[in-house]
Amino acid sequence: MQQKRLDILLRTAARTCLALALLTILPITALSQDDNAVAGDYVQTSLQIARDLIEEERGSQLAMVRWRYYEDDWSSPGSFQLYGSFGIDNCVADVPIGQKRKDILFGWTFSLLDMSGKEYQARVSYDFNDTVLCDEVHVPPAYASTVPQPASEPEQQVAAAPTEGPGGFALGGHVAGLDGRTATLMRSAGMTWVKSQLPVEAGVAKGIEFIQGAKANNFKLLLGVVGNKDALANNFNAYVAQLSAFVAELARNGADAIEIWNEPNLDREWPYGRISGALYTDMLKAAYSAIKAANPATLVISGAPAPTGAEGAFPGAVVNDDNFMRQMAQAGAAQYMDCLGLHYNEGILSPRSNGGDPRGNYPTRYFGSMLNRGAQFFPNTKICWTELGYLSGEGMGAPIPAAFAWAGNVTVAQQAEWIADAVRLSRESGRVALLIVWNVNFTRWDSDPMGGYALIRPDGSCPGCATLGAAMSESA
């Protein structure tokens, strides 16, 4: 711990000294634009120290999705009234009164939210020499309006992959229904999350049913909320307000994560001629604000766009996913999500392949380029694969649909191996917080061959479950 802190200080010593000098003569709100850049370096260094402290206590890395901070005064009457003593240690009960450092009275308080929805609070003195991890998270009313920041990871280039566990990389599956056998197989695959799709028109009661079913089987639940594109076209603002109230109620009832819409870059899901990452961001902003007001622990995931390059061929009906996410970024979407939703479902090669697809080398064919396709626009935001799978017609009892003939040679063994490798690569990337396998137990096999993506095959076996379980049990 001390060595990590020393390394950080050595790398940023010059900027830190200047920042400290500024902070001794000016409140943070009074800094000029240039001085704010220096203070930002200081805050990032303090943030890293706070994060190190939390990770040391946890014994594992923290997949941080949101954080907030404020300048704190541990000598104030309000601090004494809340904790019963003065000083940096007053938020820790097991430090005796006589041993609390009452001479350390000012610094920064950081609150960090992880992927599981747990929030931690740590304090860092202005000179970086003194820190403490608080017993509980308390945000004084004066600072309650401080704006949460998207996860910022200055050490990202050299960071080790997060380990499995609370706040680390997690695995789940999209289900058509969750019965006891399905839940058992999912747990054997190392899954701790389950995803269900929920139309707004299905009502809150249906969402509560999904929430209760997931909790009863000890899973965290991601609800993929979708709506009516015609109602959206008729009165955008009114329908967004309806959607926002709907997702707020789901959050209030314990939804662990909510994905806002599905593939909004296609006219199958969004009004023709009005497909826009900026317009979608208006919806995302409203939904995010409503969810966080109802339950700050509920994670908000942006609606994953469909991987496509067909914009030129179908103007008004399609926007390429990279263009759509660029528009989102320009509209400020990073402020209104905890995780960027992505889909990958058209692979016919190992996720470790970067070329050689017989259909051509368009980026949506490959796992790595699809990950980078979204990450490039949101460098400080975690990635959530809300749909990742490989299609195999093996054992389905009827030929693969003609429109999906590109997957005709993919075997069930390859499907299992490739999903497991996608898990490994996602975890190793340090960018991915959650991977939802598409899918676990769908059976449809027609023009939309959902059953061919399923881990549980028509004969009831799940060869991919053991392969995934082995991948998830490996140390990161």
Side-chain angles (χ1 to χ4, degrees), residues 48-188:
Q48 183 59 55
I49 292 172
R51 183 172 181 172
D52 285 345
L53 182 67
I54 293 167
E55 289 179 344
E56 182 180 56
E57 175 70 18
R58 286 160 45 92
S60 63
Q61 289 192 303
L62 177 75
M64 182 173 66
V65 295
R66 287 277 168 187
W67 60 281
R68 72 167 77 199
Y69 70 97
Y70 48 88
E71 194 173 5
D72 215 346
D73 177 0
W74 306 308
S75 68
S76 69
S79 186
F80 183 88
Q81 183 177 6
L82 182 60
Y83 297 109
S85 63
F86 294 114
I88 190 173
D89 297 313
N90 66 1
C91 64
V92 184
D94 62 2
V95 176
I97 290 290
Q99 297 178 21
K100 292 187 187 292
R101 294 167 287 179
K102 300 183 183 67
D103 56 328
I104 303 168
L105 300 174
F106 306 98
W108 294 89
T109 294
F110 290 87
S111 296
L112 279 58
L113 183 72
D114 72 14
M115 185 64 198
S116 72
K118 183 173 182 178
E119 192 169 9
Y120 301 84
Q121 194 164 81
R123 295 173 172 180
V124 181
S125 64
Y126 282 145
D127 62 2
F128 303 142
N129 287 332
D130 297 282
T131 62
V132 69
L133 182 61
C134 295
D135 293 338
E136 298 179 350
V137 176
H138 290 291
V139 179
Y143 304 117
S145 62
T146 54
V147 179
Q149 305 295 316
S152 176
E153 304 195 76
E155 81 291 357
Q156 181 175 291
Q157 295 82 356
V158 297
T163 56
E164 170 62 11
F169 172 80
L171 179 66
H174 193 149
V175 299
L178 188 61
D179 56 26
R181 182 172 184 273
T182 299
T184 298
L185 287 170
M186 290 175 68
R187 282 192 287 269
S188 75

Side-chain angles (χ1 to χ4, degrees), residues 51-409:
R51 183 172 181 172
D52 285 345
L53 182 67
I54 293 167
E55 289 179 344
E56 182 180 56
E57 175 70 18
R58 286 160 45 92
S60 63
Q61 289 192 303
L62 177 75
M64 182 173 66
V65 295
R66 287 277 168 187
W67 60 281
R68 72 167 77 199
Y69 70 97
Y70 48 88
E71 194 173 5
D72 215 346
D73 177 0
W74 306 308
S75 68
S76 69
S79 186
F80 183 88
Q81 183 177 6
L82 182 60
Y83 297 109
S85 63
F86 294 114
I88 190 173
D89 297 313
N90 66 1
C91 64
V92 184
D94 62 2
V95 176
I97 290 290
Q99 297 178 21
K100 292 187 187 292
R101 294 167 287 179
K102 300 183 183 67
D103 56 328
I104 303 168
L105 300 174
F106 306 98
W108 294 89
T109 294
F110 290 87
S111 296
L112 279 58
L113 183 72
D114 72 14
M115 185 64 198
S116 72
K118 183 173 182 178
E119 192 169 9
Y120 301 84
Q121 194 164 81
R123 295 173 172 180
V124 181
S125 64
Y126 282 145
D127 62 2
F128 303 142
N129 287 332
D130 297 282
T131 62
V132 69
L133 182 61
C134 295
D135 293 338
E136 298 179 350
V137 176
H138 290 291
V139 179
Y143 304 117
S145 62
T146 54
V147 179
Q149 305 295 316
S152 176
E153 304 195 76
E155 81 291 357
Q156 181 175 291
Q157 295 82 356
V158 297
T163 56
E164 170 62 11
F169 172 80
L171 179 66
H174 193 149
V175 299
L178 188 61
D179 56 26
R181 182 172 184 273
T182 299
T184 298
L185 287 170
M186 290 175 68
R187 282 192 287 269
S188 75
M191 294 182 179
T192 54
W193 282 75
V194 62
K195 178 182 177 181
S196 295
Q197 195 163 80
L198 179 67
V200 173
E201 285 69 24
V204 172
K206 188 64 176 178
I208 294 174
E209 179 185 325
F210 286 146
I211 293 168
Q212 292 174 342
K215 302 303 181 190
N217 286 282
N218 296 315
F219 288 106
K220 292 186 179 298
L221 176 67
L222 164 59
L223 285 172
V225 171
V226 296
N228 185 314
K229 69 173 184 176
D230 295 328
L232 194 66
N234 290 336
N235 192 328
F236 181 86
N237 291 334
Y239 196 76
V240 166
Q242 179 185 346
L243 170 82
S244 299
F246 180 71
V247 294
E249 197 62 26
L250 297 174
R252 193 172 292 113
N253 280 278
D256 297 291
I258 300 174
E259 182 178 10
I260 307 302
W261 218 264
N262 176 66
E263 299 189 341
N265 62 325
L266 302 180
D267 71 338
R268 183 180 63 208
E269 306 282 353
W270 197 268
Y272 176 88
R274 298 182 63 185
I275 300 172
S276 159
L279 191 61
Y280 169 75
T281 298
D282 289 342
M283 171 187 284
L284 181 64
K285 178 180 179 180
Y288 177 90
S289 301
I291 288 169
K292 294 303 181 181
N295 184 356
T298 298
L299 302 177
V300 178
I301 304 175
S302 63
T308 180
E311 178 180 309
F314 303 99
V318 175
V319 171
N320 290 354
D321 53 310
D322 57 339
N323 290 338
F324 189 86
M325 288 185 283
R326 182 184 293 108
Q327 294 165 1
M328 287 175 58
Q330 291 170 346
Q335 304 171 66
Y336 311 117
M337 67 173 89
D338 297 310
C339 206
L340 174 70
L342 289 181
H343 284 178
Y344 177 63
N345 50 23
E346 60 180 84
I348 58 172
L349 298 171
S350 162
R352 299 183 184 276
S353 298
N354 296 309
D357 192 304
R359 298 166 294 174
N361 284 328
Y362 197 73
T364 60
R365 312 291 195 206
Y366 304 102
F367 170 88
S369 51
M370 268 310 301
L371 179 59
N372 292 333
R373 204 162 164 85
Q376 65 180 318
F377 300 115
F378 298 94
N380 296 320
T381 303
K382 288 291 184 180
I383 304 297
C384 287
W385 293 111
T386 59
E387 180 178 303
L388 186 148
Y390 292 85
L391 174 61
S392 174
E394 183 181 348
M396 294 305 298
I400 198 164
F404 294 83
W406 46 265
N409 295 324

